[in-house]
């Protein structure tokens, strides 16, 4: 996977693969963003935020499917639509079940938990299981993963400049234990909000964070978590430069890039990411995020 990260740098990523006008059942959309992949038997499922400035709540979770390794996509409908603004549909498998932890924090409420959902009929039916993080904050763009004998959650708890960590012996336990050093990162707008699925291996964890120094979602940076246990959290940037960012000019991702999901299937790397234009952003929704999906073959070519 480290090699895959190196290949992303300076690469002309294909896209947009999926746009707001590909969603046919949610009115006049502003954008689609925050893509996560779930791959089974060479079928690719794409979950993403569906944002409409004309609805209340303004966002739900959409789903599309591809049977040709991402060459074409068919929109199938909303996977999750509640009375909360929904984004960042972090989908993953555990214990022969498929789960989702969407962000429900972009609302008027001061507090918003990290809520775990489980599918009852994949991919379009989900039920809430429990609130894994409960506390005084809004828990933004939460990512969960197994490391050692525990489940861990990294979540944004500040103004895009602060991270907190929680842990549990089991995934479905409500109210995970807060790390004693919370917030484990403060005053770091260059890497203070999760930006996609972490890469977890036996001996390493690479996490992606948004760089919001210039503006929200401006760039994406990769960090290695060098120490993670019930007493310590430490990380370090893998590079002085951003992993992804706006390309400039007039392209679909010319302005900003703020999300990445990488998955390895049978030796091939599948990538989902989003981008926003620089010039000409929509005056109504403000943003014009679109989604790109590509693969990287063993020779290192992006497709």
């Amino acid at each position: 996977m480290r090699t895959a990260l190196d290949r992303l740098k300076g690469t002309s990523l294909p896209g947009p693969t999926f746009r707001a006008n590909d969603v046919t059942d949610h009115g006049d959309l502003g954008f689609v963003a925050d893509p996560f992949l779930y791959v089974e038997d060479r079928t690719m499922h794409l979950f993403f935020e569906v944002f409409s400035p004309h609805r209340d709540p303004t966002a739900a979770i959409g789903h599309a499917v591809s049977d040709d390794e991402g060459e074409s996509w068919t929109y199938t409908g909303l996977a999750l639509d509640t009375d909360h603004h929904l984004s960042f549909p972090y989908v993953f498998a555990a214990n022969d079940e498929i789960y989702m932890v969407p962000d429900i924090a972009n609302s008027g409420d001061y507090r918003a938990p990290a809520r775990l959902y489980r599918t009852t009929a994949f991919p379009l039916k989900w039920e809430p299981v429990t609130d894994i993080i409960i506390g005084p904050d809004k828990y933004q763009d939460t990512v969960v993963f197994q490391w050692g004998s525990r489940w861990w959650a990294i979540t944004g708890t500040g103004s895009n400049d602060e991270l907190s960590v929680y842990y549990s012996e089991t995934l479905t336990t409500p109210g995970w234990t807060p790390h004693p050093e919370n917030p484990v990162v403060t005053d770091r707008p260059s890497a203070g909000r999760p930006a996609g699925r972490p890469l977890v291996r036996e001996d390493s964890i690479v996490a992606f964070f948004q760089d919001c120094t210039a503006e929200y979602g401006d760039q994406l940076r990769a960090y290695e978590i060098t120490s993670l246990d019930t007493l310590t959290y430490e990380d370090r940037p893998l590079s002085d430069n951003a992993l992804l960012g706006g390309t400039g000019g007039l392209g679909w991702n010319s302005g900003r890039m703020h999300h990445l999901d990488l998955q390895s299937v049978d030796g091939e790397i599948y990538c989902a990411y989003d981008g926003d234009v620089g010039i000409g952003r929509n005056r109504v929704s403000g943003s014009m995020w679109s989604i790109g999906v590509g693969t990287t073959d063993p020779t290192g070519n992006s497709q």
Side-chain angles (χ1 to χ4, degrees), residues 92 97-102 114-120 126-132 170-176:
F92 63 100
E97 302 273 12
I98 303 175
Y99 295 93
M100 181 193 297
V101 182
R115 182 164 296 158
L116 179 70
Y117 285 79
R118 175 173 49 217
T119 186
T120 57
W126 301 79
E127 64 178 8
V129 178
T130 191
D131 289 345
I132 60 174
T170 58
L171 173 63
T172 57
T173 297
W176 290 13

Side-chain angles (χ1 to χ4, degrees), residues 18-268:
F18 203 87
R19 316 174 201 217
N21 59 14
D22 292 315
V23 176
T24 57
D25 62 352
H26 206 58
D28 185 15
L29 292 194
F31 60 79
V32 290
D34 293 355
F36 282 100
L37 293 169
Y38 186 86
V39 183
E40 56 176 3
D41 299 327
R42 311 303 289 185
T43 298
M44 300 175 67
H45 298 271
L46 183 68
F47 296 87
F48 49 91
E49 176 188 357
V50 173
F51 178 86
S52 172
H54 309 293
R55 299 177 71 97
D56 184 20
T58 51
I61 302 303
H63 172 266
V65 66
S66 173
D67 294 318
D68 55 10
E69 298 188 347
E71 291 295 323
S72 61
W73 291 89
T74 300
Y75 176 69
T76 64
L78 296 181
L80 191 60
D81 188 13
T82 71
D83 60 352
H84 296 278
H85 178 288
L86 296 170
S87 60
F88 200 82
Y90 184 84
V91 176
F92 63 100
N95 305 321
D96 298 320
E97 302 273 12
I98 303 175
Y99 295 93
M100 181 193 297
V101 182
D103 185 322
I104 64 174
N106 192 1
S107 67
D109 297 333
Y110 177 73
R111 297 172 178 166
R115 182 164 296 158
L116 179 70
Y117 285 79
R118 175 173 49 217
T119 186
T120 57
F122 187 80
L124 296 183
K125 292 186 178 181
W126 301 79
E127 64 178 8
V129 178
T130 191
D131 289 345
I132 60 174
I133 303 177
I134 305 167
D137 296 307
K138 288 186 177 184
Y139 299 98
Q140 301 173 316
D141 296 350
T142 303
V143 297
V144 302
F145 55 91
Q146 283 185 290
W147 176 253
S149 61
R150 295 180 174 87
W151 280 92
W152 297 87
I154 298 177
T155 185
T157 49
S159 299
N160 305 322
D161 63 352
E162 181 180 288
L163 295 171
S164 291
V165 171
Y166 292 77
Y167 62 90
S168 174
E169 300 295 329
T170 58
L171 173 63
T172 57
T173 297
W176 290 13
T177 303
H179 196 282
E181 297 298 317
N182 276 348
V184 297
V185 169
T186 59
D187 194 25
R188 192 173 75 180
S190 63
R193 181 167 177 164
R197 189 188 311 273
L199 307 180
V200 181
R201 296 295 177 263
E202 289 185 2
D203 59 349
S204 66
I205 305 170
V206 174
F208 302 114
F209 299 120
Q210 294 186 41
D211 185 341
C212 300
T213 304
E215 61 177 320
Y216 168 76
D218 186 44
Q219 299 183 104
L220 180 148
R221 294 184 181 273
Y223 273 62
E224 181 181 13
I225 298 176
T226 56
S227 180
L228 178 63
D229 56 41
T230 58
L231 296 177
T232 63
Y233 174 92
E234 296 178 5
D235 62 20
R236 66 176 184 87
L238 289 181
S239 172
D240 291 335
N241 300 316
L243 180 65
L244 295 177
T247 60
L250 299 173
W252 71 279
N253 59 343
S254 57
R256 302 179 288 177
M257 297 190 75
H258 83 334
H259 184 95
L260 177 65
D261 186 14
L262 288 176
Q263 294 199 48
S264 176
V265 181
D266 296 332
E268 193 166 35

